[in-house]
Amino acid sequence: MTICAGFDSYRASPADMRVVTSDGQSIAAHSYVLASASPVLERMIDRAQRGWGAECTIPVLGVSFDAVHAFIHFLYSSKSKVVPAEEEAVGANWAQLLALAHAYRVGWLKRAAEAAVSARLTPERAVDMLKLARLCDAPRLYMRCARLAAKEFASVEQSDGWRFARRHDAALELELLTLLEDADQRNERWARERAAQEACRQLGEAMASLEHIFPGDSGAKAGCADADAPCARAGCTCRGLQVLMRHFATCPKKMAPGGCARCKRMLQLFRLHASVCDRPDRACRVPLCSHFKAKAQTGKADKTWRLLVKKVTRAKVMSSLAERKVVPEVVAESWARYSRRGAKLR
Ligand SMILES: [Zn+2]
Ligand SMILES: [Zn+2]
Ligand SMILES: [Zn+2]
């Protein structure tokens, strides 16, 4: 048995114990340092000191010598923090350190190891690290592995960890498949929500365009009446609406049973306008505005429609705020974010 690098230089007093590793090497250490750093080591040292042997020897098995050496180094450092240079030096041994910190109940080192393993995660190691995270009760690492497995499943599927799980660990395979399915469902839900948000944004834009085409003041010249002249408004949909309105004005199937899809859409837009219109009754020149307003007085709109009106009102406000010459920075930013998110789906 050879005594490798010890920790004598750390303390004035000579080492009074040894830590033995799996490969038969041992590390000289101070029992009071190790006992104060880990409650598990404290119990082991206490038991060993009450034994017959002349020297206190503690086995730390199942991991490499380098990992045990790094572990003891951190117990000596007693600064509850890992500096970047140390993190680099430990390198590939962080997974073993996580297991040691968990087994010997060194909380601060466990958190540092969990973060270090997460930072070095690759698809090839995702399944093994997920297993480790489960064994060591490390939820953040577990979630990181699950997310990576969902994102890069093609690479994960090629890893030894995944192949091993398929052959020998049915429970782990099932767990992984469930995690992947959950991630898929989550992505679908996000996509649906984003699509709905984009639809509201477009409707809000259409409402703002309607008000642009038919300005509120009845004495004023129509704002955007000329379908052939380009509209000066940023991100404007006036042209598209004007084409749709021209169709609506002349379509013979407008009122026919079964109707015309484009006309139905136009009618929905007029109805939506009436729901969000805050102009006085006579002052609004948007077609059918007063008709739909009167109709809304008599019957109560269903819940879905009311929710749509609420969302479109918000989108319309955002759209008209972004149009102003001097826009508060915070509004411009959130409008840009709102539009960008929608643009991704187009
Ligand atoms: Zn316009
Ligand atoms: Zn039509
Ligand atoms: Zn109106």
Side-chain angles (χ1 to χ4, degrees), residues 202-211 269 272-273 276 312 316:
Q202 286 180 358
L203 285 172
E205 179 59 46
M207 294 302 106
S209 284
L210 266 182
E211 289 182 4
L269 287 176
L272 192 59
H273 161 79
V276 301
V312 170
K316 191 187 113 191

Side-chain angles (χ1 to χ4, degrees), residues 33-267:
V33 176
L34 269 51
S36 63
S38 150
V40 178
L41 283 173
E42 184 183 15
R43 270 200 307 278
M44 289 169 80
I45 290 166
D46 187 44
R47 225 175 299 140
Q49 280 172 341
R50 274 187 275 149
W52 293 103
E55 196 180 33
C56 171
T57 306
I58 297 291
V60 174
L61 309 174
V63 294
S64 70
F65 171 82
D66 287 344
V68 178
H69 194 268
F71 178 57
I72 296 176
H73 166 83
F74 285 122
L75 298 188
Y76 267 82
S77 71
S78 70
K79 54 183 183 283
S80 306
K81 210 170 87 200
V82 177
V83 295
E86 285 172 330
E87 197 184 318
E88 268 317 302
V90 174
N93 287 322
W94 274 114
Q96 298 185 58
L97 267 177
L98 173 59
L100 286 173
H102 173 72
Y104 292 95
R105 290 176 49 200
V106 186
W108 71 269
L109 186 58
K110 182 176 164 180
R111 284 189 294 279
E114 189 179 0
V117 175
S118 298
R120 288 168 176 73
L121 206 58
T122 59
E124 291 70 40
R125 284 161 55 89
V127 176
D128 289 333
M129 291 306 107
L130 186 123
K131 232 171 1 179
L132 178 72
R134 199 174 48 168
L135 285 172
C136 294
D137 188 22
R140 264 169 301 178
L141 177 60
Y142 185 90
M143 285 317 295
R144 266 306 266 282
C145 294
R147 269 202 295 268
L148 185 68
K151 205 170 127 205
E152 295 187 38
F153 184 62
S155 314
V156 171
E157 214 178 9
Q158 299 300 316
S159 69
D160 291 341
W162 173 262
R163 276 199 288 265
F164 183 87
R166 292 210 68 175
R167 242 175 288 138
H168 306 289
D169 194 342
L172 179 65
E173 191 195 358
L174 185 69
E175 188 180 332
L176 277 165
L177 290 172
T178 313
L179 281 171
L180 295 180
E181 204 183 313
D182 287 351
D184 276 352
Q185 282 172 356
R186 213 168 31 238
N187 286 345
E188 271 170 33
R189 204 168 53 231
W190 278 337
R192 266 202 310 275
E193 275 167 19
R194 274 192 227 144
Q197 205 173 19
E198 167 60 6
C200 282
R201 195 193 65 80
Q202 286 180 358
L203 285 172
E205 179 59 46
M207 294 302 106
S209 284
L210 266 182
E211 289 182 4
H212 192 222
I213 298 169
F214 302 100
D217 180 3
S218 54
K221 199 168 138 279
C224 207
D226 185 0
D228 299 321
C231 176
R233 228 158 50 84
C236 166
T237 52
C238 297
R239 288 287 299 277
L241 264 179
Q242 277 153 344
V243 171
L244 195 61
M245 276 191 292
R246 256 195 252 163
H247 165 89
F248 182 77
T250 55
C251 179
K253 286 191 287 176
K254 188 163 41 196
M255 295 301 171
C260 154
R262 295 181 72 190
C263 290
K264 266 190 201 153
R265 182 163 164 71
M266 193 67 249
L267 276 171

Side-chain angles (χ1 to χ4, degrees), residues 244-311:
L244 195 61
M245 276 191 292
R246 256 195 252 163
H247 165 89
F248 182 77
T250 55
C251 179
K253 286 191 287 176
K254 188 163 41 196
M255 295 301 171
C260 154
R262 295 181 72 190
C263 290
K264 266 190 201 153
R265 182 163 164 71
M266 193 67 249
L267 276 171
Q268 289 286 64
L269 287 176
F270 286 148
R271 184 185 166 202
L272 192 59
H273 161 79
S275 301
V276 301
C277 176
D278 51 9
R279 292 167 175 171
D281 258 356
R282 303 252 164 230
C284 185
R285 290 189 291 163
V286 174
L288 301 172
C289 179
S290 46
H291 164 76
F292 280 121
K293 271 183 184 163
K295 223 172 149 190
Q297 300 289 317
T298 53
K300 203 164 180 240
D302 63 67
K303 208 172 149 193
T304 320
W305 182 264
R306 286 203 308 269
L307 190 69
L308 179 72
V309 169
K310 213 157 110 185
K311 286 182 177 171

